Amino acid sequence: MSDISAFFTSYPAAFPWIAGVFGLAIGSFLNVAIFRLPILLERKWQSQCREILKSNKKPLKAKKRFNLVVPGSSCPHCGHAITALENIPVLSFIWLRGRCSACGKPISRRYPLVELLTGGLTVAVAWHFGYGVAALFAMALTWCLIALSFIDFDRQLLPDDITLPLLWGGLILNAFAVFTPLFDAVIGAVSGYLFLWMVYQLFKLTTGKEGMGYGDFKLFAALGAWLGWQSLPLIILLSSLVGAIVGISFILYFGHDRRLPIPFGPFLCVAGWIALMWGDTLTSHYLQFARIGY
C-alpha cells in the first residue's frame, strides 16, 4: 500500500486516469445492476406475497439462477451470449458499430453512455480529491448515485438495497470524520428524512395525492449522513431548481403529460453529487451574496 501511495504522490496526474479506466468497468457493471436489481426485487416481493397469502396453488417451478452476476450478459433480441471482447466498455460498442455481432440488431446507446458517464465522473472525483480515502469513498457514492438515478428514471424506484447501506455507510464513515463530523452526519440523516417526510405529508394533506415516495426520504437522509446537515439546503435547492427546469422542458418540448409523475430521485442524486464536489464553495458564495444583498 505504501508503494502505491508513493507512486501516486510522485505522479499525481496518474490517479485520475487510472480511476477513469476503472470507472468505465464499473459503468459496465452498473448497466447490469440498473436492469437486474428491480427484477430481483420484484421476484423477492412476489415470493414474500405468496408466503403471506399462503396460497394453496401449486408452487411455481424453480426459476433459473438470476442475480447481478449470473447469467452472463446477452443480446436482448437473439439471446447471443456477450463474449469478453464484446464486453469491453465503450470500445466494444464502437468496434461492433452499435450492433449485435450475431443478429445485427442495434444495441442501446445507453450502455456506452452510462459507462462514459461513470468513467467521467470518476475522473472528476479523483482529480478533485486526489489519492486518498476520501476519493475512494466519494467514487463509491458517485457510482451509487448513478445507479439510483437510472433505476428511479426507469422504474420510479429507489431500492432500499442501495439507499439504506448508503445511509449507514455515511454514518460509519463519518465516525472518522472523512467528510463531516459524526454529529453533523447524524443530524443530517435525521433532518434529511424528516424534511421530505413533512413535505410529503403536507402535499398529501393539501392535494390528496402522494408527491414523492419513501425512497426519496431515505436518499436525502443518506446524503445528509455523508455530507452533513449543512449541505441539505443546497441539495434541496439545486434538486428543486433542476427538477423544475427539466419538468417544464419535458412538458413544453417533449409533450410529456403533466399528469404523469417525474421521479425526483435523479435530481436529488445530481444535486447531492454537486454538493459532494463543490458544496462548501457554493455555500460560501451564497452566504457572501446574501450578506451583500442584505
Side-chain angles (χ1 to χ4, degrees):
M1 185 63 70
S2 58
D3 293 338
I4 297 175
S5 301
F7 173 79
F8 286 127
T9 302
S10 302
Y11 305 98
F15 179 56
W17 290 105
I18 294 174
V21 173
F22 188 68
L24 290 173
I26 292 294
S28 180
F29 172 75
L30 290 184
N31 276 318
V32 176
I34 290 165
F35 174 74
R36 295 190 183 186
L37 184 56
I39 297 175
L40 289 170
L41 291 175
E42 287 177 0
R43 292 185 177 183
K44 178 181 177 181
W45 297 332
Q46 290 171 358
S47 176
Q48 291 173 343
C49 288
R50 285 195 296 271
E51 291 179 3
I52 293 172
L53 295 174
K54 296 181 179 179
S55 175
N56 294 323
K57 295 180 180 179
K58 294 181 179 179
L60 297 177
K61 294 182 179 179
K63 296 181 180 179
K64 293 182 179 179
R65 189 179 175 191
F66 183 86
N67 53 45
L68 297 182
V69 179
V70 179
S73 300
S74 60
C75 172
H77 303 290
C78 67
H80 165 68
I82 306 299
T83 65
L85 289 176
E86 294 172 342
N87 210 24
I88 300 174
V90 182
L91 294 179
S92 60
F93 183 86
I94 298 173
W95 174 55
L96 294 170
R97 297 181 179 179
R99 295 186 176 274
C100 173
S101 62
C103 66
K105 294 287 182 66
I107 302 170
S108 173
R109 293 181 181 180
R110 190 164 110 171
Y111 295 126
L113 287 177
V114 170
E115 292 166 355
L116 286 171
L117 175 65
T118 307
L121 295 187
T122 302
V123 169
V125 168
W127 188 271
H128 180 80
F129 286 96
Y131 178 73
V133 173
L136 298 177
F137 282 106
M139 289 178 198
L141 175 60
T142 299
W143 301 333
C144 290
L145 293 178
I146 292 172
L148 286 169
S149 296
F150 282 95
I151 292 174
D152 198 27
F153 182 80
D154 290 342
R155 302 294 192 100
Q156 295 188 11
L157 171 70
L158 292 169
D160 287 351
D161 295 49
I162 301 179
T163 56
L164 293 183
L166 266 187
L167 172 59
W168 290 109
L171 294 175
I172 294 172
L173 191 64
N174 285 321
F176 304 96
V178 175
F179 293 105
T180 192
L182 179 60
F183 177 80
D184 293 347
V186 172
I187 298 301
V190 174
S191 301
Y193 189 93
L194 287 179
F195 177 79
L196 286 189
W197 179 84
M198 288 188 293
V199 171
Y200 165 86
Q201 295 295 343
L202 181 61
F203 184 84
K204 186 176 181 181
L205 182 64
T206 306
T207 66
K209 300 177 182 179
E210 296 183 353
M212 62 182 69
Y214 279 70
D216 296 311
F217 314 162
K218 298 167 191 174
L219 173 57
F220 200 35
L223 292 173
W226 277 74
L227 305 177
W229 64 267
Q230 298 90 338
S231 67
L232 296 182
L234 175 65
I235 293 173
I236 202 66
L237 178 64
L238 287 175
S239 58
S240 300
L241 179 62
V242 174
I245 293 173
V246 172
I248 293 172
S249 300
F250 271 32
I251 293 172
L252 294 180
Y253 299 106
F254 300 101
H256 183 83
D257 189 343
R258 66 184 61 194
R259 293 171 297 181
L260 297 177
I262 297 177
F264 189 54
F267 308 129
L268 278 176
C269 291
V270 171
W273 190 80
I274 292 174
L276 169 70
M277 297 288 286
W278 305 289
D280 293 339
T281 302
L282 291 173
T283 301
S284 63
H285 285 331
Y286 170 77
L287 292 175
Q288 185 177 6
F289 176 79
R291 291 193 195 100
I292 294 173
Y294 181 78

